[in-house]
């Protein structure tokens, strides 16, 4: 029997029940509908120290900071599909999400300095998808966050499968009033497993 596709959902907002949580939850339900095994990672439940730029990972590809990120590395590497959801905070992802991304520097080292084949061309292929919302209507509100997400996924050998982003979404639950948004998230989750 074919092993179920493993989907890791990264909840990057500290606001529980908020807009990105609602969207990511729908995407994960869509993935589950297609038979995927889903793991939910609520970043605000973890202690992830920001990268200290100590270069302690340069020779080993292992981060020397012994906090909750150590539990997260195997989850990132074990996933077939990673969905990162973060609202826009000051034109970027939240500090919660950015801390995880910056701590992935240890994996960047494995891939690009140590040439670890498991993260190279012949290594496991993953898929990455980004979900975001912002309160304003600014033309470029998602640009910085999308670039950050793309480079994060690159480190994980995850093909960037695209994003689902919504503007003018501010109060908790506002996304539910956005016509079709939750349905689009559900479909995106299904497609990530089927494609
Ligand atoms: C610290 C902070 C910074 C924010 N910065 C921006 C911003 O730069 N642009 C924007 O459009 N919205 C900004 N917002 C609004 C949030 O993106 C918005 O309220 C979003 O719906 C929150 O998503 P959540 O419910 O998933 O937490 C900011 C909110 C906070 C708390």
């Amino acid at each position: 029997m074919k092993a179920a596709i493993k989907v890791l959902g990264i909840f990057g907002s500290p606001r529980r029940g908020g807009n990105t949580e609602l969207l990511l939850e729908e995407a994960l339900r869509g993935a589950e509908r297609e038979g995927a095994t889903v793991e939910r990672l609520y970043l605000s439940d973890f202690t992830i120290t920001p990268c200290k730029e100590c270069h302690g990972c340069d020779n080993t590809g292992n981060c020397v900071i012994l906090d909750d990120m150590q539990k997260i590395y195997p989850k990132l590497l074990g996933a077939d599909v990673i969905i990162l959801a973060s609202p826009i905070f000051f034109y970027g992802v939240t500090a919660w999400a950015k801390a995880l991304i910056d701590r992935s520097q240890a994996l960047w080292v494995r891939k690009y300095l140590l040439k670890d084949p498991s993260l190279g061309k012949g290594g496991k292929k993953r898929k990455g998808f980004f979900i975001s919302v912002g309160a304003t209507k600014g033309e470029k509100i998602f640009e910085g966050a999308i670039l950050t997400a793309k480079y994060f996924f690159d480190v994980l050998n995850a093909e960037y499968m695209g994003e689902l982003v919504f503007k003018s979404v501010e109060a908790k639950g506002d996304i539910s009033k956005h016509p079709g948004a939750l349905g689009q998230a559900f479909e995106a989750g299904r497609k990530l497993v089927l494609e």
Side-chain angles (χ1 to χ4, degrees), residues 55-62 104-117 119-120 154-155:
H55 290 271
C57 59
D58 277 3
N59 295 321
T60 61
N62 293 318
S104 301
Q105 174 68 7
L107 303 178
W108 184 93
V109 164
R110 280 187 210 182
K111 181 169 179 157
Y112 289 109
L113 298 186
L114 306 177
K115 315 278 183 212
D116 181 336
L119 288 168
D154 169 76
V155 164

Side-chain angles (χ1 to χ4, degrees), residues 13 15 18-20 87-91 133-136 141 169-170:
S13 173
R15 180 159 73 170
N19 298 306
T20 46
I88 297 300
F89 278 12
F90 284 87
Y91 277 79
V133 299
T136 64
I141 51 175
V169 176
E170 186 162 21

Side-chain angles (χ1 to χ4, degrees), residues 36-114:
T37 303
V38 165
E39 182 164 10
R40 293 163 173 80
L41 208 62
Y42 298 94
L43 293 188
S44 55
D45 291 343
F46 290 85
T47 300
I48 306 176
T49 308
C51 173
K52 296 183 177 179
E53 206 180 1
C54 65
H55 290 271
C57 59
D58 277 3
N59 295 321
T60 61
N62 293 318
C63 182
V64 296
I65 305 172
L66 301 180
D67 63 4
D68 289 343
M69 190 64 199
Q70 299 298 340
K71 294 182 221 156
I72 295 177
Y73 291 119
K75 296 182 195 296
L76 294 172
L77 294 171
D80 300 298
V81 177
I82 297 151
I83 311 180
L84 171 67
S86 170
I88 297 300
F89 278 12
F90 284 87
Y91 277 79
V93 295
T94 63
W96 304 86
K98 193 58 165 52
L100 177 147
I101 291 168
D102 289 355
R103 291 285 297 284
S104 301
Q105 174 68 7
L107 303 178
W108 184 93
V109 164
R110 280 187 210 182
K111 181 169 179 157
Y112 289 109
L113 298 186
L114 306 177

